[in-house]
């Protein structure tokens, strides 16, 4: 009587279970991603989406690329983009700089010693990628007027220095003495010795020595900025309907006194380490700030005593059927933080900040609606961390002890079943195919067991 060795049903069941466990897949991999955007609008007047925008800026960056872009519009009119400044970078190390050459001039006549310079429709856009980090910024002004005072005394000093400068660059016998005289006046001309006369160089050294800036008036200005600073992704925007600065840059680069009307700020940031986002807003109808003489490294002291409204507010006038007829927003700032990154990526976050000083919307939401807005700023920043694939879990086949059964002597039947380990089980149809294969193996095992029982009965 021959004996036959076969695999027991329990052993096959364990192999099937191991193959099912080994088929589970880890979460799909994805790279880190983040985005940021900012926009500022000093003044907007539009009807049915067509109108005039004054002092508008935008800035955007994306980790994919990486890339960054920015625009600045001093005044944007229908079908007219000649006042637009733009910059864009993508990929490798790159820099893009676009400045609108705004017309300048003087306003005559003024009292002796006073000069007023006027700049109209200025816009600047800059974008760069350095070390894989993108950044972009833009500024726009509808108009800027600067009042300067020309001092006769300083003018005489300028003439004296220019004479000494001529001797130094000439390299004559008295060049050294001229350089010493200039140094006693607080100007070091030695590095310029022997260099050719250049009008730009003359202007750089002596162009501002005889003038003092007294006042600066800006109308319809805004700034937008986005950047990646180490682990922080930042965006910020600000806009001003009107700005008056007394003695600009008069103390450690700060305005001695600054008065802004229709001032709005919005900012947002995303932390790449913690995947958390936050933002803040600051709408102010009137802002007064002064330079801080005690700390020249600071940003000045801001006085909020002139804030006209302490709380955000929105007023709506509604009519039956038509809905909202007029919506007035005054001094409102909102920040919304979500627990999903841009594109609803799980595990990330995003912050959106919006600030409005004054906005009137007539029939909002309709194609024929009208909008009057002063001091709007918006900023968004968010992202999601990278996910790395983990190898699929595997379960080694369980060891099975052979079972000895008595086979019939007349017609011996050999059942040979070959089962691959769970870690090498081929998959051709996803989880459903694996399940069907497991059921087939289980059925085969029971079939072998039944044959063995028939063998005993025949004996």
């Amino acid at each position: 009587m021959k004996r036959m060795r076969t695999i027991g049903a329990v052993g096959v069941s364990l192999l099937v279970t191991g193959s099912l466990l080994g088929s589970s897949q880890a979460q799909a991999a994805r790279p880190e991603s983040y985005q940021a955007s900012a926009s500022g609008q000093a003044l907007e007047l539009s009807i049915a989406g067509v109108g005039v925008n004054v002092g508008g800026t935008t800035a955007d960056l994306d980790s994919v690329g990486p890339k960054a872009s920015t625009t600045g519009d001093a005044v944007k009119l229908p079908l007219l983009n000649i006042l637009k400044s733009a910059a864009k970078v993508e990929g490798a190390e790159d820099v893009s700089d676009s400045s609108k050459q705004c017309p300048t001039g003087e306003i005559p006549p003024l009292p002796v010693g006073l000069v007023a310079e006027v700049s109209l429709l200025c816009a600047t856009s800059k974008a760069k990628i350095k070390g894989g980090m993108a950044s972009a910024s833009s500024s726009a002004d509808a108009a800027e007027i600067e009042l300067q005072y020309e001092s006769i005394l300083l003018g005489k000093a300028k003439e004296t220095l220019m004479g000494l400068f001529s001797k130094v660059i000439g390299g004559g016998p008295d060049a050294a003495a001229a350089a010493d005289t200039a140094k006693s006046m607080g100007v070091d001309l030695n590095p310029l010795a022997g260099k050719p006369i250049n009008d730009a160089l003359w202007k750089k050294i002596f162009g501002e020595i005889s003038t003092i800036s007294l006042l600066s008036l800006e109308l319809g200005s805004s700034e937008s900025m986005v950047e990646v600073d180490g682990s922080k992704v930042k965006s910020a925007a600000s806009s001003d309907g009107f700005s008056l600065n007394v003695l600009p840059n008069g103390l450690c680069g700060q305005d001695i006194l600054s008065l802004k009307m229709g001032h709005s700020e919005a900012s947002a940031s995303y932390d790449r380490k913690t995947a958390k986002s936050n933002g803040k807003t600051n709408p102010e109808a009137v802002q007064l700030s002064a330079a801080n003489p005690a700390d020249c490294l600071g940003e000045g002291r801001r006085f909020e005593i002139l804030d006209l409204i302490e709380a955000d507010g929105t007023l709506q006038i509604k009519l039956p059927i038509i809905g909202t007829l007029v919506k007035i927003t005054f001094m409102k700032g909102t920040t919304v933080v979500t627990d999903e990154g841009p594109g609803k990526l799980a595990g990330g976050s995003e912050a959106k900040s919006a600030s409005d000083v004054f906005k009137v919307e007539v029939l909002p939401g309709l194609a024929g609606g009208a909008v009057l807005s002063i001091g709007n700023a918006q900023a968004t920043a968010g992202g999601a961390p990278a996910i790395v694939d983990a190898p699929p879990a595997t379960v080694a086949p369980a060891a099975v002890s052979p079972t000895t059964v008595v086979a019939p002597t007349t017609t011996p039947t050999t059942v040979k079943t070959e089962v691959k380990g769970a870690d090498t089980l081929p998959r051709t149809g996803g989880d459903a195919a694996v399940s069907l294969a497991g059921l087939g193996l289980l059925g085969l095992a029971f079939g072998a067991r039944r044959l063995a029982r028939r063998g005993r009965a025949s004996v």
Side-chain angles (χ1 to χ4, degrees), residues 105-127:
E106 297 184 358
I107 302 178
L110 290 174
V112 177
L114 292 179
V115 176
E117 291 189 353
V118 179
S119 301
L120 301 174
L121 309 178
C122 300
T124 301
S125 299
K126 298 179 181 180

Side-chain angles (χ1 to χ4, degrees), residues 257-399:
L257 189 66
S258 176
L259 175 65
K260 300 179 183 294
M261 300 184 67
H263 177 74
S264 188
E265 297 177 0
S267 63
S269 66
Y270 169 72
D271 192 325
R272 299 169 61 192
K273 291 183 178 179
T274 63
K276 300 298 182 182
S277 301
N278 61 71
K280 63 180 181 179
T281 61
N282 181 37
E284 295 180 291
V286 180
Q287 180 197 95
L288 176 66
S289 60
N292 185 358
D295 183 9
C296 282
L297 298 178
E299 298 181 354
R301 293 178 177 176
R302 179 177 296 175
F303 303 91
E304 299 182 353
I305 56 176
L306 295 181
D307 288 351
L308 300 182
I309 300 295
E310 295 182 357
D312 297 340
T314 299
L315 173 64
Q316 296 191 47
I317 301 176
K318 297 183 178 182
L319 295 178
I321 302 177
I322 297 178
T324 301
L325 178 64
V326 178
K327 180 180 179 181
I328 302 176
T329 303
F330 191 69
M331 299 279 295
K332 185 169 185 177
T334 58
T335 296
V336 178
V337 179
T338 61
D339 57 1
E340 291 180 323
K344 295 187 177 180
L345 292 178
S349 65
E350 186 177 44
K352 295 183 178 181
S353 299
S355 176
D356 281 295
V357 175
F358 180 74
K359 178 183 285 188
V360 178
E361 301 171 81
V362 181
L363 297 175
L366 298 182
V371 177
L372 170 62
S373 175
I374 299 175
N376 174 264
Q378 299 185 42
T380 301
I387 294 180
V388 181
D389 248 343
T394 59
V395 178

